[in-house]
């Protein structure tokens, strides 16, 4: 967040009619806006990356959601071509009344340094599932694009001790000033200039000063109570990453019980949210209600992408494949009916399992050695990560490109769509703290994307293109460190998994 965002912040808070009249509260709120940190669907990787077309313009969109809602999301749009004249951006709620009440779109600003890049700010006023409408105009006519954006508050800012001390001192000066004014007004305000107050007037002045002290202290105590109550309400509404419970049953069946720690339905202004989180409203995302990722820690050499079935509300089960014993990290992707995606996290110690054969879209590998550039695949093929030697930097959106080759080094033939897409990638930090499930179209959930596009969405476009041996994923690592990138593609009826190691500066 920038200083400009802060000044905008106070402005919009007034328009929204939200009670931020208290200057200290407003100041603290503004400071909170300037702290970068967030985590939800995808774990600790909140930025949205999206590759798509607005009419004839190929755009790469990056959105940084606000860490606190209401707040400002930053949007960056890179056009692949130079023929875009103007881009406008507009945030809309995915569901509910607000979805129909569109304000005027904002014009995104063209970057001074790179004419292909446009920047904008998006006012995200409530928590929940949003979609961003992007309209592009230029030499090839007009076109539009929708990008889903889940928005939640992830934390409550704490006031810095030094700031608190400074404000306390300034507050004391104000109190002394008020008491002094009251005293002076009752003592000598009605006296002619230069005349000393008599003893009676002095006594009356002291009495009024004492009353003023009591009243001001009372106001401070009540204000403090209001502030604490409001902060507590706000903290209850902060998004908490859901932790599922995993249990191994006999026969290698893995039972998963989902958690819903974000069930609060009433926001701080007493409004019931149209998109409160429940567990009976899940919708399939590229064909499955849940995408379950299992990674053995800390070696990350056993990796599985499975699709458990729902057994009852909030409960899922899946037959585990043959895998080696170890401590497994669990990431379970689900999507709510509003398009709001969540990743439930968990862990489990598993014994060696003889397991059942993989079927359908389930895939994985019990012994995946990572490589920096060339990953050997099961059937003799290999996958090459096409990247130059320049270091990877955090928070910079890039296309991660991979090429599948046969054992003679020729581009692989017979590539097929895997769950409707040319490939699926999971970016996971080696400490297990960062997780993102990404597709060629970006980091958004496909279910949310179809919802955002509404009637205009052309399902056939997503499915029909026969995949080439090259697949790319737009993504940016959220923080420096070591990562694994697991890439899954389908060739000649078989799903192949590749593993790459990446170091991010
Ligand atoms: Cu996927």
């Amino acid at each position: 967040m920038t200083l400009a965002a802060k000044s905008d912040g106070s402005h919009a808070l007034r328009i929204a009619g939200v009670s931020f009249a208290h200057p200290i509260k407003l100041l603290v709120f503004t400071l909170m806006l300037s702290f970068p940190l967030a985590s939800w669907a995808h774990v600790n990787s909140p930025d949205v990356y999206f590759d798509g077309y607005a009419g004839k313009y190929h755009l790469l969109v990056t959105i940084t959601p606000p860490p606190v809602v209401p707040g400002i999301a930053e949007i960056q749009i890179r056009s692949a071509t130079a023929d875009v004249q103007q881009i406008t951006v507009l945030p809309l709620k995915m569901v509910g009344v607000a979805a129909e009440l569109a304000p005027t779109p904002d014009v995104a600003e063209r970057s001074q340094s790179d004419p292909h890049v446009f920047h904008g700010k998006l006012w995200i006023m409530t928590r929940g599932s949003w979609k961003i409408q992007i309209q592009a105009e230029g030499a090839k006519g007009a076109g539009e694009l929708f990008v889903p954006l889940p928005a939640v508050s992830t934390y409550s800012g704490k006031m810095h001790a030094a700031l608190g001390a400074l404000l306390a001192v300034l507050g004391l000066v104000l109190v002394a000033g008020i008491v002094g004014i009251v005293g002076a007004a009752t003592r000598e305000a009605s006296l002619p200039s230069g005349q000393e107050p008599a003893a009676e007037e002095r006594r009356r002045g002291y009495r009024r000063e004492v009353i003023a002290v009591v009243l001001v202290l009372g106001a401070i105590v009540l204000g403090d109570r209001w502030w604490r109550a409001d902060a507590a309400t706000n903290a209850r509404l902060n998004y908490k990453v859901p932790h599922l419970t995993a249990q191994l049953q006999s026969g290698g069946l893995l039972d998963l019980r989902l958690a819903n720690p974000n069930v609060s339905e009433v926001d701080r202004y007493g409004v019931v949210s149209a998109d409160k989180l429940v567990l009976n409203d899940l919708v399939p995302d590229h064909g499955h209600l849940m995408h379950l990722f299992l990674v053995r820690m800390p070696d990350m050499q056993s990796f599985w992408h499975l699709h458990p079935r729902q057994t009852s509300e909030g409960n899922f089960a899946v037959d585990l494949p043959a895998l080696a014993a170890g401590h497994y990290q669990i990431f379970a992707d689900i999507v709510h009916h509003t398009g709001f995606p969540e990743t439930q996290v968990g862990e489990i110690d598993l014994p060696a399992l003889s397991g059942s054969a993989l079927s359908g879209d389930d895939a994985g590998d019990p012994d995946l050695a990572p490589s920096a550039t060339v990953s050997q695949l099961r059937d003799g093929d290999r996958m090459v990560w096409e990247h130059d030697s320049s270091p990877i930097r955090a928070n910079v959106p890039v296309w991660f490109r991979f090429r599948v080759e046969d054992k003679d080094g020729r581009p692989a033939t017979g590539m097929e769509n895997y769950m409707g897409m040319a490939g699926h990638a999971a970016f996971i930090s080696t400490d297990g703290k960062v997780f993102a499930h990404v597709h060629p179209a970006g980091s958004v959930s496909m279910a949310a994307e179809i919802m955002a596009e509404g009637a205009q969405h052309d399902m056939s476009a997503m499915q029909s293109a026969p995949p080439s041996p090259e697949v790319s994923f737009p993504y940016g690592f959220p923080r420096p460190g070591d990562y694994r990138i697991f890439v899954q593609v389908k060739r000649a009826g078989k799903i192949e998994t590749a593993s790459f190691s990446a170091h991010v500066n």
Side-chain angles (χ1 to χ4, degrees):
M1 294 289 161
T2 63
L3 280 171
K6 286 184 195 172
S7 56
D8 284 349
S10 48
H11 179 58
L13 289 170
R14 259 181 276 120
I15 316 171
V18 178
S19 57
F20 281 98
H22 195 294
I24 296 180
K25 202 175 173 190
L26 177 59
L27 176 63
V28 173
F29 181 84
T30 314
L31 284 169
M32 275 157 53
L33 279 182
S34 64
F35 282 78
L37 186 117
S39 70
W40 58 98
H42 300 317
V43 181
N44 287 313
S45 184
D47 287 5
V48 167
Y49 299 94
F50 189 82
D51 178 328
Y53 284 84
K56 299 211 160 63
Y57 310 107
H58 186 190
L59 306 178
L60 175 60
V61 181
T62 308
I63 306 173
T64 304
V68 177
V69 176
I72 307 164
E74 309 266 351
I75 183 167
Q76 189 209 73
I77 301 155
R78 171 179 288 278
S79 168
T81 51
D83 51 5
V84 177
Q85 271 142 24
Q86 180 176 285
I87 287 183
T88 61
V89 291
L90 174 64
L92 295 162
K93 286 292 288 199
M94 195 82 92
V95 291
V97 227
E100 309 300 323
L101 305 171
T104 323
D106 282 333
V107 175
E109 221 174 280
R110 193 187 282 270
S111 160
Q112 304 272 309
S113 53
D114 185 346
H116 286 230
V117 174
F118 296 79
H119 291 280
K121 291 193 193 309
L122 305 162
W123 274 101
I124 304 300
M125 296 313 297
T126 56
R127 300 165 172 80
S129 193
W130 290 72
K131 57 183 175 185
I132 313 303
Q133 181 193 53
I134 298 169
Q135 289 180 312
E137 255 178 51
K140 288 189 289 220
E144 74 175 359
L145 173 71
F146 287 88
V147 182
L149 176 73
V152 291
S153 284
T154 49
Y155 79 117
S156 302
K158 291 267 175 283
M159 194 186 293
H160 199 278
L163 177 67
L166 174 69
L167 291 174
V169 170
L170 292 175
L172 275 179
V173 171
L174 277 179
V175 170
I178 290 169
V179 172
I181 289 169
V182 169
T186 45
R187 246 186 340 261
E188 53 232 306
S190 58
L191 296 178
S193 170
Q195 189 179 325
E196 287 294 311
E200 172 57 23
E201 282 150 350
R202 283 180 196 282
R203 272 197 299 280
R204 192 170 57 200
Y206 285 132
R207 279 200 300 276
R208 299 275 167 97
E209 278 180 352
V210 170
I211 293 170
V213 167
V214 171
L215 288 178
V216 170
L217 286 181
I220 290 174
V221 168
L222 288 177
D224 179 63
R225 280 205 183 176
W226 166 68
W227 168 254
R228 280 173 201 277
D230 211 43
T233 309
N234 191 51
R236 257 203 311 283
L237 291 169
N238 285 348
Y239 185 80
K240 296 156 207 80
V241 174
H243 288 260
L244 57 74
T245 317
Q247 243 175 353
L248 183 67
Q249 308 293 351
S250 59
L253 185 77
L254 185 66
D255 260 343
L256 303 163
R257 179 184 291 273
L258 301 188
N260 188 13
N262 304 291
V263 76
S264 300
E265 60 182 298
V266 180
D267 74 9
R268 65 155 91 183
Y269 311 113
V271 181
V272 177
S273 157
D275 44 6
K276 75 174 189 117
L277 294 179
V278 288
L279 289 173
N280 62 4
D281 71 338
L282 305 184
V283 294
D285 187 10
H286 42 294
H288 299 281
L289 279 183
M290 177 185 281
H291 292 262
L292 180 77
F293 295 87
L294 279 179
V295 195
R296 191 179 58 207
M297 303 300 282
D299 67 303
M300 302 180 96
Q301 298 209 10
S302 181
F303 170 87
W304 303 92
H305 177 178
L306 310 173
H307 304 93
R309 55 190 180 275
Q310 189 171 235
T311 51
S312 61
E313 181 181 329
N315 290 295
F316 284 77
V318 66
D319 293 307
L320 290 176
L323 42 76
H327 184 74
Y328 283 79
Q329 181 75 42
I330 301 172
F331 302 100
D333 276 354
I334 52 171
V335 181
H336 295 275
H337 84 285
T338 55
F340 189 88
E342 289 194 280
T343 301
Q344 301 235 344
V345 300
E347 48 198 325
I348 188 167
D349 287 312
L350 292 175
L353 292 171
S354 54
S356 45
L358 288 169
S359 65
D361 294 326
D362 289 2
D365 198 310
D367 188 17
L368 262 182
S371 158
T373 46
V374 181
S375 178
Q376 196 60 46
L377 304 178
R378 281 283 136 197
D379 63 356
D381 291 358
R382 54 196 192 187
M383 191 183 288
V384 182
W385 179 9
E386 301 175 322
H387 67 110
D388 51 28
S389 55
S390 55
I392 305 170
R393 286 186 297 142
N395 295 306
V396 177
V398 289
W399 271 284
F400 289 83
R401 293 177 206 279
F402 304 91
R403 186 178 66 243
V404 185
E405 291 177 349
D406 63 19
K407 39 188 161 307
D408 306 317
R410 287 180 306 233
T413 54
M415 300 301 297
E416 292 171 25
N417 273 322
Y418 173 35
M419 290 186 276
M421 283 167 282
H424 301 250
F427 294 77
I428 309 176
S429 62
T430 52
D431 62 2
K433 296 246 159 53
V434 175
F435 166 83
H437 173 184
V438 184
H439 300 122
S443 63
V444 303
S445 113
M446 288 293 107
E449 168 56 11
I450 290 167
M451 219 170 283
E453 292 278 350
Q456 308 149 53
H457 187 79
D458 182 8
M459 277 294 286
S460 56
M462 194 173 95
Q463 313 249 341
S464 65
S468 82
E470 246 189 22
V471 58
S472 66
F473 305 91
Y475 185 65
F477 289 104
R479 51 168 92 141
D482 288 306
Y483 292 82
R484 285 294 159 82
I485 310 171
F486 298 98
V487 182
Q488 296 187 295
V489 295
K490 195 169 179 180
R491 183 187 179 209
K494 278 202 292 192
I495 304 155
E496 299 284 356
T497 305
S499 171
F500 298 95
S501 54
H503 178 75
V504 179
N505 292 330

